[in-house]
Amino acid sequence: QKEVEQNSGPLSVPEGAIASLNCTYSDRGSQSFFWYRQYSGKSPELIMSIYSNGDKEDGRFTAQLNKASQYVSLLIRDSQPSDSATYLCAVSGRDDKIIFGKGTRLHILP
Amino acid sequence: DTAVSQTPKYLVTQMGNDKSIKCEQNLGHDTMYWYKQDSKKFLKIMFSYNNKELIINETVPNRFSPKSPDKAHLNLHINSLELGDSAVYFCASSQINSPLHFGNGTRLTVT
C-alpha cells in the first residue's frame, strides 16, 4: 500500500519566521511531487511541484526533494498570517495515481 | 472561465436516496478524478478516467458509479446513500504526471 506521511500538526510559527513542512513517501517509483495549500471550506490549490532531486524556489516557497531518503519538504520564508492553512503533500507514481498525505495544519502567530 | 466546475455545491439528502454530482473541465486535460475528503480532511482517491476510460478504481463500494460521457465530463452517481458517505467530494483534472486542478467541491450531507 503506497503511503504519504505528514505530521498533522498544528505547527505554530511566529510571523516572519520560516515554516518547515515535511513529508515522506513509501513508493520508490514515485516520480512527481506536489504541495497544495487548503484553506478551511475551500479546495486544494497548487503551491509547488517538483520532479527532480534538489531545491526549487518560487517566491517565498522552496520545495526540497530527496528521492534516496524518500523525503520532500516545503519551506515558507517570511511567514504571513495568510499562510495559515492545511498543507497537503501529494505524490504521483508510475501509475499516475496521485496520493495525498493527511496534511499539516500550519498556524502563523501574529 | 472556471477551469473545473462541479455541481451542486451542497447536497443534503436522506439515507437510502440516490444522488449524482456532475463535473466538467475546460482545460483540455485527458485525465479526470474523483476524490473524497472526510471530516478529518483526508483526501482519498476514488476513481480516475483517462479519455473516457476507467483507469483507477480504488476500494469503493459498488454503490458509487462514475460515468464519463466524454473526456471533459466525469459524473459520480451514488446509490442507496449511507451516513458514512457524508463528506466533501472533489473533482479534479490533470495531464499525465502533472498537478491536479480541483473543482470547488460538493459537500454531501446524508441524514
Side-chain angles (χ1 to χ4, degrees):
Chain A
Q1 182 81 1
K2 298 173 188 174
E3 291 184 347
V4 178
E5 299 284 345
Q6 293 181 258
N7 189 323
S8 62
L11 175 65
S12 295
V13 173
E15 184 176 354
I18 296 175
S20 177
L21 303 159
N22 304 314
C23 172
T24 58
Y25 58 94
S26 62
D27 181 14
R28 282 201 170 272
S30 299
Q31 299 179 327
S32 307
F33 307 85
F34 311 101
W35 282 100
Y36 286 82
R37 176 176 63 199
Q38 187 175 25
Y39 293 114
S40 182
K42 301 292 186 183
S43 57
E45 54 178 327
L46 180 72
I47 298 175
M48 296 279 288
S49 53
I50 186 166
Y51 302 95
S52 54
N53 279 331
D55 294 1
K56 180 181 177 183
E57 189 174 317
D58 184 0
R60 296 187 297 113
F61 299 96
T62 299
Q64 298 174 317
L65 175 62
N66 183 327
K67 288 187 178 180
S69 301
Q70 294 173 243
Y71 174 90
V72 58
S73 65
L74 179 71
L75 299 177
I76 307 174
R77 287 182 299 282
D78 188 23
S79 296
Q80 303 295 310
S82 60
D83 294 327
S84 297
T86 296
Y87 289 79
L88 301 167
C89 174
V91 175
S92 175
R94 275 181 281 252
D95 58 3
D96 201 32
K97 185 191 297 185
I98 300 180
I99 304 296
F100 284 80
K102 293 188 178 180
T104 298
R105 283 182 296 135
L106 176 64
H107 182 48
I108 305 301
L109 304 168
Chain B
D1 255 340
T2 305
V4 182
S5 60
Q6 54 182 109
T7 55
K9 189 172 173 62
Y10 299 99
L11 194 49
V12 181
T13 188
Q14 291 184 329
M15 282 173 53
N17 284 349
D18 303 339
K19 290 293 178 186
S20 291
I21 307 172
K22 294 186 176 183
C23 179
E24 175 181 1
Q25 56 99 2
N26 62 4
L27 296 167
H29 289 161
D30 291 326
T31 309
M32 295 186 72
Y33 306 80
W34 280 110
Y35 280 83
K36 177 181 180 182
Q37 190 168 45
D38 59 25
S39 57
K40 294 185 178 178
K41 307 299 182 189
F42 183 34
L43 202 57
K44 190 171 179 184
I45 190 168
M46 300 173 69
F47 302 103
S48 171
Y49 270 76
N50 183 274
N51 243 332
K52 301 193 296 176
E53 272 193 54
L54 181 66
I55 55 170
I56 295 173
N57 184 351
E58 289 297 282
T59 310
V60 176
N62 290 339
R63 301 181 294 103
F64 290 79
S65 52
K67 278 199 174 62
S68 181
D70 56 60
K71 78 172 196 176
H73 294 83
L74 179 62
N75 304 322
L76 183 65
H77 188 75
I78 316 170
N79 289 327
S80 304
L81 277 154
E82 300 178 357
L83 291 176
D85 298 332
S86 295
V88 180
Y89 292 84
F90 285 102
C91 177
S93 71
S94 77
Q95 297 289 52
I96 296 264
N97 280 329
S98 295
L100 296 171
H101 294 255
F102 284 92
N104 287 330
T106 296
R107 182 174 294 277
L108 172 66
T109 303
V110 183
T111 61

